[in-house]
Structures are given as structure tokens and as C-alpha cells.
Amino acid sequence: MIKSDYTGQYPVEAVTIEKFAELIGKPETAVRKMITNNKLPVVELTDPEAAAARVGERWVVISEFNCIVREAYFNRPAKERGAWLKWLGL
């Protein structure tokens, strides 16, 4: 999961595919595949001067990704969520 302090470091809601891959430690090809399979929240940026262009750059929306990850985490059973605390001896 992307740490919340990235908000200060990257004060934008979305980043390029390359930057997102770097942030989550995945290859760029994996992130592109996730986008193709509609598994990541993206926004497509196009040049308004080039209306004929079909797709411009795709950027991953960090804030929405964080919300989805947070929701997935808290929808897990409490026993599974706290397993890492037990592993740490807490």
C-alpha cells in the first residue's frame, strides 16, 4: 500500500504508469496489464488540440487506489488483519 506521506511528496491525485509501478514495486508491464484488465483506477489525459487521437497518457489515481486498498484490508476478517501484530509479538 502506498504510504500517506506520498501525498506531501506527490501533491497530485494521479501519477504516470511508470511512477506508480515504482511506488508499488511492480514492473511497468504488470501495471499496464492491471490497467488493461480494469484493475486500477485510471484517468486518460488527451491533448485537446489533437481531437483525433484516441488515447493519450493514462495516469493511475493514487487517492482512489489507496481507498480501495484500505477497504479491501478492513473487509478481511479481524483475525487475518491482526495476524502481522501476532507475528511481531504484539
Side-chain angles (χ1 to χ4, degrees):
M1 185 167 123
I2 297 175
K3 295 179 182 177
S4 62
D5 63 351
Y6 281 110
T7 306
Q9 199 172 13
Y10 301 103
V12 293
E13 291 289 320
V15 292
T16 63
I17 292 170
E18 297 81 13
K19 177 53 76 176
F20 186 76
E22 177 188 327
L23 291 173
I24 66 169
K26 295 284 184 190
E28 185 183 325
T29 53
V31 172
R32 289 187 186 281
K33 188 173 182 178
M34 291 164 65
I35 290 171
T36 300
N37 292 327
N38 295 317
K39 294 186 175 188
L40 285 175
V42 296
V43 63
E44 292 182 356
L45 305 176
T46 56
D47 182 358
E49 301 292 322
R54 292 184 0 174
V55 176
E57 280 186 75
R58 289 186 174 129
W59 284 29
V60 179
V61 182
I62 296 173
S63 56
E64 189 63 26
F65 175 79
N66 284 340
C67 287
I68 293 166
V69 170
R70 194 173 294 110
E71 183 178 331
Y73 174 75
F74 285 111
N75 281 332
R76 295 173 63 195
K79 186 175 180 179
E80 288 179 21
R81 281 196 317 260
W84 67 278
L85 292 171
K86 187 174 182 179
W87 182 79
L88 291 173
L90 301 174

